Amino acid sequence: MNNKQKIWQCQKSLVTLRSIHNSITQQNILDTLLFAGQFIIGLLAIIKGADWLTDGAASIAERFGIPTLVVGMTIVAIGSSAPELVVSVVAALKGNADMALGNVVGSNIFNILGIMGITAVVTPIVVERGNVRNDVPFAVLSSIVIAITAFDTLFSPEATDNSISRTDGLLMLCMFAIFMSYTLALAGKGKASEANATANNEAEKPQSVSTEKDSDTESKPISSVLRSSLLIVIGLACLIFGGDWLVDGASGIATVLGVSQSIIALTIVSAGTSAPELAASVMAARKGDTAMALGNVVGSVIFNVFFVLGIAAAIHPLGVGGITWFDISTLLVASCLLWIFCRFGKRYLTLTRPEGLIMILMAIAYYSWLVIQA
């Protein structure tokens, strides 16, 4: 074989390699777009399904005279955290522990640093004393619980691996039951005091005003049980199929891009499932209802750990693989920082704009670190 033939063969091999590389690149781009589309469709289905499920369940509760307080603390709370619940449960059923745990940890970091930071920058958040005394410490406790249960080898010399066991999951569910009982008891006392004050005010008003209000209340339309039941069924179907599509889409994106499942869960999955909380908190803050904005985020943080992670771990033990101590430490610092800003900040019982900006900068630093490590 002469030199010309060798050169020709080398050129032919180079062309072949370039062709294979181009085809692989094109296929990767196509696969990424398909998985991204699957992820987006799944996310939209989850969000809309949670909305329909909440509307249907609340309507049936109203129809059968279940107190509004109970509806708000149970049905609405579950509905707002349904995206995180569905994704983590589906991931646990598929044996994808990094996705299940990363979704909860990432969502809580995004809720505290991202959503609270953005909301505080939009308008300073006036914090009620009850939030500082009762709710925010529970959020800090939930972060501590994740750290203790996830890193067994750090806190127990006898432990051989790091995982959140079924026993840990059941304990989290018990803590969630305690939190709900405590919160309902406090809310019930506040509701009773408010009802007594309202009754006293109504007694001093003319009877005609009271009669007019009663007629308005009776005329409020209540959806039929059939329609509400249909909303519940459709909502559940959207949650189930949407969760399956979202987890598969996120896993596919991680595979194509060559990054870990935990990175995807801590970033795009957690940000996507927290989108309802972001929209609700910002809108509440713009309307001046900053207490609702804070309660929405703090309630979601507590719910994600004690209920969502508790159910996921009870279904399937969650090995701690791609979720690092740095991620858990970031969540711990974020939770403590929220409590410090609310309790000992520049303005007592107020989350100010500079404090919100600090939280946003911390979120940017954390996500930049994740991108660098990926």
Side-chain angles (χ1 to χ4, degrees):
M1 181 180 296
N2 56 36
N3 291 334
K4 288 185 178 180
Q5 289 177 329
K6 290 181 179 180
I7 293 173
W8 180 80
Q9 284 188 347
C10 289
Q11 290 177 340
K12 185 178 179 181
S13 299
L14 183 61
V15 171
T16 303
L17 289 174
R18 285 178 177 175
S19 176
I20 293 173
H21 176 268
N22 291 336
S23 63
I24 292 175
T25 302
Q26 292 175 356
Q27 186 63 42
N28 285 347
I29 293 174
L30 180 60
D31 289 343
T32 303
L33 291 175
L34 289 175
F35 286 129
Q38 188 177 11
F39 174 86
I40 293 171
I41 293 173
L43 178 61
L44 293 176
I46 289 175
I47 293 174
K48 196 60 184 175
D51 188 31
W52 284 334
L53 175 64
T54 304
D55 288 346
S59 178
I60 288 180
E62 182 183 3
R63 181 84 177 189
F64 289 98
I66 298 176
T68 305
L69 174 64
V70 177
V71 174
M73 292 296 297
T74 55
I75 298 173
V76 176
I78 293 174
S80 62
S81 291
E84 290 90 346
L85 175 61
V86 172
V87 170
S88 291
V89 168
V90 170
L93 290 171
K94 291 176 177 287
N96 194 337
D98 281 349
M99 186 70 68
L101 180 57
N103 175 47
V104 170
V105 174
S107 292
N108 283 4
I109 292 174
F110 185 81
N111 281 338
I112 297 173
L113 296 180
I115 297 179
M116 275 289 89
I118 293 172
T119 305
V121 168
V122 171
T123 181
I125 299 174
V126 179
V127 185
E128 296 180 357
R129 291 181 182 273
N131 293 129
V132 176
R133 186 170 56 249
N134 304 319
D135 300 335
V136 178
F138 257 106
V140 177
L141 176 63
S142 69
S143 301
I144 296 173
V145 168
I146 288 186
I148 294 175
T149 56
F151 291 93
D152 302 308
T153 56
L154 191 62
F155 297 98
S156 175
E158 294 82 10
T160 57
D161 62 343
N162 293 320
S163 64
I164 301 178
S165 65
R166 284 193 173 93
T167 303
D168 294 332
L170 293 175
L171 288 174
M172 289 179 182
L173 291 174
C174 290
M175 295 184 73
F176 175 73
I178 294 171
F179 169 74
M180 288 297 295
S181 300
Y182 178 67
T183 304
L184 283 172
L186 289 178
K189 290 180 181 179
K191 199 72 173 179
S193 301
E194 182 181 345
N196 291 334
T198 303
N200 293 333
N201 293 334
E202 288 296 329
E204 298 174 358
K205 292 182 180 180
Q207 186 66 30
S208 59
V209 176
S210 176
T211 304
E212 182 181 348
K213 286 189 175 181
D214 290 342
S215 61
D216 288 343
T217 303
E218 291 175 359
S219 63
K220 288 183 179 179
I222 300 177
S223 300
S224 67
V225 175
L226 180 61
R227 178 179 178 276
S228 300
S229 300
L230 185 61
L231 282 176
I232 292 175
V233 172
I234 296 175
L236 285 172
C238 288
L239 287 174
I240 293 170
F241 290 108
D244 190 57
W245 275 47
L246 187 145
V247 171
D248 288 345
S251 299
I253 292 173
T255 302
V256 173
L257 297 181
V259 299
S260 66
Q261 302 280 339
S262 58
I263 295 294
I264 295 297
L266 289 166
T267 53
I268 62 172
V269 174
S270 61
T273 56
S274 296
E277 285 91 343
L278 174 60
S281 295
V282 172
M283 288 303 296
R286 292 186 63 182
K287 292 178 181 179
D289 194 355
T290 55
M292 176 67 75
L294 177 65
N296 178 46
V297 168
V298 173
S300 179
V301 168
I302 297 170
F303 194 92
N304 285 346
V305 176
F306 292 144
F307 188 73
V308 174
L309 194 59
I311 287 182
I315 291 174
H316 190 282
L318 304 176
V320 181
I323 307 302
T324 65
W325 178 246
F326 177 75
D327 302 315
I328 304 297
S329 299
T330 301
L331 177 57
L332 280 168
V333 171
S335 303
C336 293
L337 193 65
L338 176 63
W339 182 71
I340 291 171
F341 281 164
C342 292
R343 182 66 178 81
F344 304 104
K346 185 178 179 181
R347 291 170 58 190
Y348 179 61
L349 293 179
T350 302
L351 189 62
T352 63
R353 283 191 173 93
E355 291 165 348
L357 184 59
I358 291 174
M359 299 174 88
I360 292 175
L361 292 176
M362 285 186 62
I364 293 174
Y366 171 70
Y367 290 119
S368 299
W369 171 261
L370 288 182
V371 171
I372 293 172
Q373 293 301 306

